[in-house]
Amino acid sequence: MIERWDFIDYTGFFSPHKRRRLRHLDRIDLMVQQLRRHDYIVVLGPAHSEKTRLLDDVAVAGARQGWFTPVHINLWQVRTDNEAEFFQSLVRLICKSIQNDHCLELDDQARDRLVRARDFQHFLEQCSTRQRGHLVLMIDHLQALPHDLIQQLLNTLRAAYMERKTERRNSLDVVVTGGMALADLSLGLTSPFNMAFPIFQGHLTAGQTMALARENFAAYGAPPSPNALERVNEWAGGDRYLTPLLVTRCHDAVKGYRRPQVTQTVVDQAAQR
């Protein structure tokens, strides 16, 4: 597949140094296509590889075209004391995200009775049945859970996948994200989620790194020399976090100058500091 990407302003979670980010258009299109086929997806990548932003891009693309309703679940926000509290907190987050007849019928007492994985699976089936379109659960930060709850969650989602009825008008589809350390757990031969379509959010190429640096320099109004962009790539190449951080430090170093151009020397000094 030919890589297609562009840049947009960084929005969402506050970052003191990110001004623009790279958006993978080819990856977004591929994920939307898989979801239209009602395939489950697992997104794996190293820390700070902007997997959450990729989910946001897919959610915007799918919702804009009316193909599905995205439900974003941040697993750092769920309770992990035990299985019952885990699934109850998941249900609360889902109900908070969607206005669904089934969710509206569930009072706090009813939600507290959802104590097992099978109860949660039944809840998902009811949500998809009563939804006016396809639902996509976007379950982010799988690494936030202990391994036993990861296994429980993936087993439950697989059961929902295997037991869904093809004649239903609406379906429930799932995207999960996690760190590369979870590759075997989420995609290995014995993983319950190995039927999912894999997407890898890896490091940036040299060309993407220098383009990302150029975009962030432009956002600050601090033009870099060609050698400066190459030095940014040598110091922070491939890293979506370090690249804009180094750009910010370079901007700080030349801020207030009459001609605030960033040179190779400025980059080297900023990186060494």
Side-chain angles (χ1 to χ4, degrees), residues 165-217:
K165 296 176 175 59
T166 55
E167 67 272 13
R168 280 187 181 166
R169 186 165 56 96
N170 300 326
S171 71
L172 174 83
D173 303 305
V174 178
V175 183
V176 300
T177 78
M180 291 303 295
L182 299 176
D184 284 341
L185 194 59
S186 55
L187 279 177
L189 293 176
T190 60
S191 167
F193 217 66
N194 56 16
M195 81 297 182
F197 186 86
I199 295 286
F200 296 100
Q201 181 85 327
H203 296 293
L204 300 176
T205 65
Q208 289 171 339
T209 300
M210 288 189 284
L212 178 61
R214 186 185 299 111
E215 289 287 326
N216 279 273
F217 276 126

Side-chain angles (χ1 to χ4, degrees), residues 26-53:
D26 54 338
R27 214 163 288 172
I28 295 165
D29 289 347
L30 176 60
M31 290 177 67
V32 170
Q33 289 170 17
Q34 294 300 321
L35 291 172
R36 291 191 72 186
R37 297 188 187 109
H38 305 302
D39 289 334
Y40 282 17
I41 298 173
V42 57
V43 180
L44 297 174
H48 302 300
S49 59
E50 296 185 346
K51 298 182 288 294
T52 300
R53 301 282 80 80

Side-chain angles (χ1 to χ4, degrees), residues 51-148:
K51 298 182 288 294
T52 300
R53 301 282 80 80
L54 177 61
L55 285 191
D56 292 341
D57 293 335
V58 172
V60 168
R64 182 191 299 129
Q65 298 171 44
W67 290 334
F68 56 77
T69 299
V71 181
H72 201 129
I73 303 298
N74 182 351
L75 290 178
W76 287 111
Q77 297 175 348
V78 302
R79 297 287 300 273
T80 59
D81 307 56
N82 54 57
E83 180 184 347
E85 291 190 359
F86 170 62
F87 285 117
Q88 288 162 12
S89 60
L90 268 181
V91 168
R92 288 191 177 91
L93 285 176
I94 293 171
C95 287
K96 186 177 179 181
S97 299
I98 61 175
Q99 291 298 309
N100 178 289
D101 292 342
H102 183 50
C103 277
L104 294 174
E105 291 168 4
L106 285 174
D107 57 21
D108 288 339
Q109 189 175 14
R111 289 171 192 156
D112 289 344
R113 289 197 294 269
L114 301 173
V115 296
R116 298 172 304 165
R118 191 70 183 179
D119 299 327
F120 179 65
Q121 182 186 339
H122 180 69
F123 163 79
L124 295 179
E125 291 170 358
Q126 292 297 311
C127 280
S128 61
T129 300
R130 304 190 189 193
Q131 191 68 16
R132 294 179 179 84
H134 302 301
L135 274 182
V136 175
L137 278 188
M138 297 186 160
I139 302 176
D140 204 7
H141 305 300
L142 202 61
Q143 71 276 6
L145 302 180
H147 277 207
D148 60 329

